[in-house]
């Protein structure tokens, strides 16, 4: 028994040392880590094509509805990093009353330029002659920028892909200058696994089908991907609207939780302490995932800032029935462009 415990302890120590070593190396060589993750994904897709293939409903264009008598998308939605589904569930019912709405799905933690390449590969499948509006949440906005400036409307070059032109783009909570929260991608992956389990689609390959995590490196401030993307000019003929969030004060749901915690812990001024901290960190915290100063990029108008969290911009949060604040802004902007 003692020998078994010693072996177990030794294995645990080796695991911790290896983990710390990997973290230390990867922090010093992020782009090499990205290359390794991309290469790993490509090898796995070559060696295990069936296991690594996403089901049809999780890749490509998915119709979400629209007014009767119309066909082909007028609005295309592009979700963000490790999105488990549901980010568009409150917005879609509002959109389909006036616009034919489709969603683009992809392996959502693979390298961002690979996701833009996939969007380009499917773009010609859109059998519609009228221009299309693209709406992206979080990393989805970066995919849109990469697709537009590199594939569909590159500056001083002909389009590299056929299909409808882009009428406009709306980016919600998009970290155009990066986000340090990308380092915590592992927790987003766990959230996605839980969603997969609930939907009955979880497997041992689930965490690899969506990519091997190269996107988290692309999302870091100062990454090679962002440097290249931000060096490109956004087309003047395509209007863009940026929407961001700022958690300037706790939401009603958060206040209720803080009050309950204050009572449980016996700390009478807990709410005052939290509010003081919240006010002092509002700009850097932004929507909780994307700082306010990360929203803007050259050639775009200043972002419209709403009081909301990163997902709360589009999704009803627990303990509240309030319509997410970005929905009305999006609908109004689409009407103005129309």
């Amino acid at each position: 028994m003692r020998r078994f415990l010693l072996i177990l302890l030794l294995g645990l120590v080796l695991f911790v040392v290896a983990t710390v070593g990997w973290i230390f190396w990867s922090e010093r060589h992020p782009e090499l880590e990205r290359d390794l993750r991309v290469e790993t994904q490509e090898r796995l897709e070559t060696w295990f094509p069936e296991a690594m293939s996403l089901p049809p409903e999780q890749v490509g264009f998915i119709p979400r509805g629209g007014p009767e008598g119309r066909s082909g998308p007028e609005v295309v939605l592009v979700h963000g990093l490790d999105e488990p589904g549901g980010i568009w569930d409150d917005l879609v019912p509002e959109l389909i009353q006036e616009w034919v709405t489709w969603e683009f799905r992809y392996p959502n933690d693979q390298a961002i330029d690979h996701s833009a390449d996939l969007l380009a590969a499917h773009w010609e499948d859109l059998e519609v002659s009228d221009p299309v509006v693209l709406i992206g949440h979080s990393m989805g906005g970066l995919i849109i920028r990469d697709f537009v400036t590199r594939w569909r409307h590159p500056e001083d070059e002909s389009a590299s892909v056929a299909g409808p032109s882009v009428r406009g783009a709306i980016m919600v909570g998009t970290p155009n200058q990066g986000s340090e929260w990308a380092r915590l991608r592992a927790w987003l992956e766990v959230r996605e696994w839980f969603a997969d389990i609930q939907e009955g689609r979880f497997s041992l390959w689930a965490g690899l089908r969506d990519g091997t995590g190269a996107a988290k490196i692309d999302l870091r401030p100062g990454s090679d991907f962002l440097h290249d993307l931000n060096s490109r000019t956004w087309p003047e003929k395509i209007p863009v609207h940026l929407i961001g969030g700022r958690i300037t004060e706790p939401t009603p749901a958060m206040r209720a939780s803080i009050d309950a915690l204050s009572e449980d812990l016996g700390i009478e001024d807990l709410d005052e302490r939290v509010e003081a901290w919240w006010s002092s960190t509002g700009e850097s915290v932004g929507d909780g995932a994307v700082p306010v100063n990360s929203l803007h990029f050259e050639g775009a108008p200043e972002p419209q800032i709403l009081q909301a969290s990163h997902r709360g911009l589009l999704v009803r949060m627990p303990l509240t029935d309030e319509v997410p604040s970005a929905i009305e802004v999006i609908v109004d902007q689409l009407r103005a462009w129309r």
Side-chain angles (χ1 to χ4, degrees), residues 32-313:
L32 288 177
E33 181 192 0
R34 181 188 189 275
D35 292 343
L36 179 61
R37 289 178 179 274
V38 169
E39 177 69 18
T40 299
Q41 182 175 344
E42 291 175 350
R43 291 292 180 90
L44 289 172
E45 288 172 349
T46 301
W47 294 339
F48 309 102
E50 279 192 37
M52 288 291 289
S53 295
L54 285 167
E57 69 273 11
Q58 287 184 261
V59 64
F61 290 112
I62 310 295
R64 295 297 299 266
E68 291 186 15
R70 296 193 213 166
S71 61
E74 298 171 293
V75 173
V76 171
L77 309 172
V78 185
H79 63 77
L81 177 69
D82 284 318
E83 173 53 45
I87 191 66
W88 306 118
D89 287 356
D90 287 316
L91 176 62
V92 165
E94 302 298 323
L95 295 182
I96 62 176
Q97 296 181 44
E98 301 183 48
W99 299 275
V100 180
T101 304
W102 288 23
E103 182 181 349
F104 178 70
R105 298 178 184 173
Y106 61 96
N108 56 33
D109 63 4
Q110 68 179 357
I112 298 177
D113 60 339
H114 287 206
S115 298
D117 294 345
L118 185 63
L119 176 57
H122 283 270
W123 194 253
E124 295 184 41
D125 298 337
L126 298 181
E127 297 180 357
V128 58
S129 57
D130 293 331
V132 172
V133 174
L134 291 167
I135 301 176
H137 176 249
S138 194
M139 187 180 75
L142 297 178
I143 294 172
I144 290 171
R145 285 184 62 199
D146 193 25
F147 167 72
V148 169
T149 59
R150 188 162 58 87
W151 284 98
R152 192 63 189 88
H153 299 279
E155 184 183 24
D156 300 328
E157 294 180 27
S158 300
S160 301
V161 62
S165 59
V166 177
R167 171 68 182 86
I170 300 175
M171 301 174 193
V172 185
T174 293
N176 288 297
Q177 306 304 323
S179 172
E180 294 291 352
W181 284 93
R183 299 173 188 272
L184 303 179
R185 187 196 69 85
W187 297 108
L188 300 179
E189 186 74 30
V190 171
R191 182 190 68 182
E192 191 175 17
W193 286 353
F194 279 118
D196 286 341
I197 292 171
Q198 291 175 346
E199 296 294 327
R201 59 175 182 248
F202 180 79
S203 77
L204 295 176
W205 290 91
L208 296 173
R209 286 178 185 151
D210 282 332
T212 50
K216 74 165 187 175
I217 300 166
D218 291 337
L219 285 166
R220 291 184 183 182
S223 70
D224 285 356
F225 169 79
L226 287 174
H227 177 76
D228 178 59
L229 179 64
N230 287 323
S231 70
R232 293 182 230 143
T233 302
W234 180 262
E236 288 186 14
K237 64 182 180 181
I238 300 177
V240 60
H241 191 87
L242 305 181
I243 302 172
R246 182 192 284 122
I247 311 177
T248 53
E249 60 182 40
T251 64
M254 292 176 179
R255 288 185 182 279
S257 298
I258 293 170
D259 289 343
L261 185 61
S262 177
E263 186 175 341
D264 290 342
L265 298 178
I267 305 176
E268 295 183 0
D269 62 343
L270 180 61
D271 57 338
E272 296 176 11
R273 296 185 192 181
V274 170
E275 187 135 13
W277 171 81
W278 218 285
S279 299
S280 65
T281 57
E283 287 292 312
S284 59
V285 170
D287 63 14
V290 178
V292 171
N293 62 11
S294 181
L295 296 167
H296 186 259
F297 66 90
E298 189 173 351
E302 287 300 311
Q304 182 174 356
I305 306 301
L306 308 174
Q307 184 179 316
S309 64
H310 192 59
R311 289 180 64 82
L313 284 161

Side-chain angles (χ1 to χ4, degrees), residues 3-25:
R3 185 178 180 183
F4 172 76
L5 290 175
L6 286 174
I7 293 174
L8 185 63
L9 180 61
L10 179 61
L12 180 61
V13 170
L14 290 174
F15 174 77
V16 171
V17 170
T19 300
V20 171
W22 167 258
I23 293 173
F24 181 79
W25 179 85

